[in-house]
Amino acid sequence: MRNVILDNVRPFVDGKFENPTKMCLVDGAWADSAPEGTQEFDAKGALAIPALFGLGLDFKEPLRDDIYTFKDGVDAMRRGGFYGGLYESCANAIDDSLKLSAIQQISAKYGLSIAFLGAFSNGYQCKDLSEMVELAQGGAVGFGDGNQDCSRTRFLRLAMEYGSMTGKRFFFMPLDDSLRHHGLVHEGCYADTLGMKAIPRVAETIAAFKILEMARFLKVPVHFKQVSCGETLRLIEDARKIGVDVTCDVDIYHLLIDDSSLFNLDSNYNVPMPFRSAEDREALWKGLESGVVNAISVNHDPVLRQDKEVNFEDAVPGAISLEVALPALWKSLCGRLSAARAVELLSTAPAQLAGVAPAEIRKGSAANLVLLDPDTPTEVSPSMFAGQVRNCPLLGQELPSKILGSYLGGLWTEV
């Protein structure tokens, strides 16, 4: 539906939520009036929040479209209120300009603001450099590792030196593969009790330190994806003090879940960056409060049900989050931070990291928004999710808030 009138809605304007009002959303903008016969929706005091921007999108198409497709991903974005995102598929390395052009053409059909990371090595193998200059000229907003550890430090230097000619940021998930050594969970008392192979914090901090040193030496901007422990945030703080251009994000689930959850042995909790201790989770929250953390990421990573409906140790890592991110996190965010800071972390800052214009709500201007009832709970059921995947750690749980609909790219979707 192209046009809709939202009655009794509280839009987020100029850093705060206004009193209940009427919004006429017409042809993609907040207008003074709507054509006769436009459908009206009673928001009952719900919040109109600037639409979100998702860091860490992976829709698997084309190589693994048996798992998920771009169409599924866009459906999930509309259900969750995301007007755009930063795309980097671990299954489909964008390592040349032809692959970039092809995925851009697929994305363009859906009318959302999706930016793309190019791979800095062919196939994420860290053996041959990708066409970084051509990728940047073609519209890649930065270069990523495909969540694969670049263990060859000399190659890392060559890649960052070559990529520095473009001025683009490098995106890394800091996790040393040799120290991970087939580990699945955080190294701590819960892993010991369950007898699981574990991943120590130093697997993250050593990888982060190596990248920060290379960034300092070469004066290349870097971004850390899915930071999971407090020690890494301290390294980032120290690096910034000496002039390193480093940004970072934390995943929504690492703000909600710690390693005590392992006792349920739910394979949906098997994710690439392990859930750390309760102390680490609190450190991430403090990083949001202090400003060390730049943004909150979603890392939407679909996995086939048959690859999750197995023992924890045998499951394919990954979790989906687009449909549940906002209702799962909003009340916790606003309990510790201002609404303006919450919007910044979920929408404005992620978009800026991807070089995309942030969403904002302003009368007479283009409108991309998500309608949230902050006080009505939502049960996470399989029907909430797009496609055929269900690998969400919150499945079966009750969320404190509920998405009522979204207005994205001039299309109203009632949830």
Side-chain angles (χ1 to χ4, degrees):
M1 178 184 312
R2 300 297 302 180
N3 302 331
V4 66
I5 298 171
L6 301 181
D7 289 314
N8 301 312
V9 65
R10 298 182 61 204
F12 184 85
V13 178
D14 295 330
K16 65 182 186 300
F17 288 104
E18 294 193 337
N19 293 327
T21 188
K22 176 182 288 189
M23 296 183 70
C24 298
L25 302 176
V26 179
D27 295 332
W30 181 2
D32 290 323
S33 61
E36 186 176 348
T38 298
Q39 178 180 330
E40 296 193 29
F41 183 90
D42 187 356
K44 298 179 181 178
L47 308 177
I49 300 171
L52 313 186
F53 192 93
L55 296 178
L57 304 185
D58 186 353
F59 299 156
K60 305 300 180 182
E61 189 178 351
L63 288 182
R64 293 308 311 271
D65 58 4
D66 58 315
I67 301 175
Y68 208 70
T69 66
F70 229 90
K71 183 177 182 299
D72 295 330
V74 169
D75 186 6
M77 292 174 72
R78 290 192 175 279
R79 296 184 190 199
F82 287 81
Y83 79 102
L86 183 59
Y87 190 87
E88 180 189 27
S89 175
C90 300
N92 303 274
I94 302 174
D95 48 24
D96 64 45
S97 54
L98 290 177
K99 291 178 182 177
L100 175 61
S101 177
I103 199 72
Q104 287 171 330
Q105 289 177 37
I106 293 172
S107 169
K109 296 187 300 184
Y110 297 103
L112 299 183
S113 298
I114 299 179
F116 296 91
L117 285 182
F120 61 75
S121 68
N122 290 337
Y124 301 127
Q125 296 298 307
C126 291
K127 293 180 180 179
D128 301 298
L129 294 172
S130 70
E131 300 175 0
M132 279 184 271
V133 171
E134 290 84 351
L135 286 167
Q137 291 171 342
V141 300
F143 304 109
D145 59 0
N147 296 344
Q148 303 296 316
D149 173 41
C150 185
S151 58
R152 299 173 59 201
T153 308
R154 183 174 181 276
F155 185 88
L156 180 66
R157 173 182 178 172
L158 293 173
M160 292 176 74
E161 280 185 317
Y162 179 44
S164 67
M165 299 190 324
T166 70
K168 303 294 185 182
R169 190 175 297 273
F170 279 72
F171 289 68
F172 298 96
M173 187 178 80
L175 192 59
D176 185 292
D177 199 52
S178 64
L179 287 169
R180 176 169 56 182
H181 193 58
H182 309 297
L184 301 169
V185 298
H186 171 61
E187 185 177 274
C189 62
Y190 295 107
D192 292 342
T193 301
L194 293 168
M196 287 187 175
K197 294 179 181 178
I199 305 172
R201 288 186 183 89
V202 291
E204 179 173 317
T205 57
I206 287 175
F209 182 79
K210 177 176 73 173
I211 293 164
L212 288 170
E213 275 294 280
M214 197 65 72
R216 179 190 63 81
F217 175 61
L218 297 173
K219 295 180 173 56
V220 172
V222 295
H223 177 87
F224 287 137
K225 303 175 282 185
Q226 305 180 52
V227 171
S228 72
C229 60
E231 288 92 334
T232 306
L233 295 183
R234 286 193 285 273
L235 288 174
I236 291 169
E237 281 189 286
D238 291 342
R240 287 174 179 167
K241 290 175 183 176
I242 59 172
V244 178
D245 184 353
V246 53
T247 55
C248 70
D249 67 64
V250 298
D251 177 271
I252 65 159
Y253 290 130
H254 286 81
L255 294 169
L256 298 170
I257 299 169
D258 58 53
D259 63 343
S260 64
S261 65
L262 296 177
F263 278 130
N264 64 27
L265 295 176
D266 184 345
S267 60
N268 286 323
Y269 287 73
N270 187 337
V271 293
M273 191 67 89
F275 296 123
R276 300 286 183 185
S277 69
E279 291 76 17
D280 286 305
R281 184 161 69 95
E282 178 61 21
L284 299 183
W285 277 102
K286 289 181 177 177
L288 296 178
E289 294 169 343
S290 68
V292 177
V293 177
N294 299 87
I296 295 173
S297 58
V298 294
N299 302 304
H300 186 80
D301 189 4
V303 177
L304 285 172
R305 280 189 274 183
Q306 57 262 40
D307 290 330
K308 279 295 189 181
E309 293 172 354
V310 294
N311 293 330
F312 188 100
E313 295 89 339
D314 300 322
V316 172
I320 55 174
S321 57
L322 286 171
E323 296 93 335
V324 300
L326 181 60
L329 199 56
W330 180 257
K331 292 203 83 166
S332 295
L333 275 175
C334 292
R336 299 188 61 150
L337 305 167
S338 68
R341 176 64 171 154
V343 170
E344 178 186 9
L345 288 165
L346 290 168
S347 180
T348 310
Q352 290 172 337
L353 284 168
V356 173
E360 62 176 359
I361 301 175
R362 192 176 301 280
K363 199 163 189 178
S365 300
N368 286 294
L369 59 86
V370 54
L371 192 61
L372 181 78
D373 182 339
D375 300 315
T376 296
T378 310
E379 182 179 347
V380 182
S381 64
S383 62
M384 287 182 65
F385 300 105
Q388 300 300 310
V389 299
R390 303 290 184 266
N391 56 305
C392 174
L394 304 179
L395 191 65
Q397 298 183 28
E398 187 175 86
L399 308 182
S401 303
K402 180 180 178 63
I403 292 176
L404 303 180
S406 66
Y407 189 73
L408 306 172
L411 182 64
W412 166 250
T413 303
E414 187 174 337
V415 177

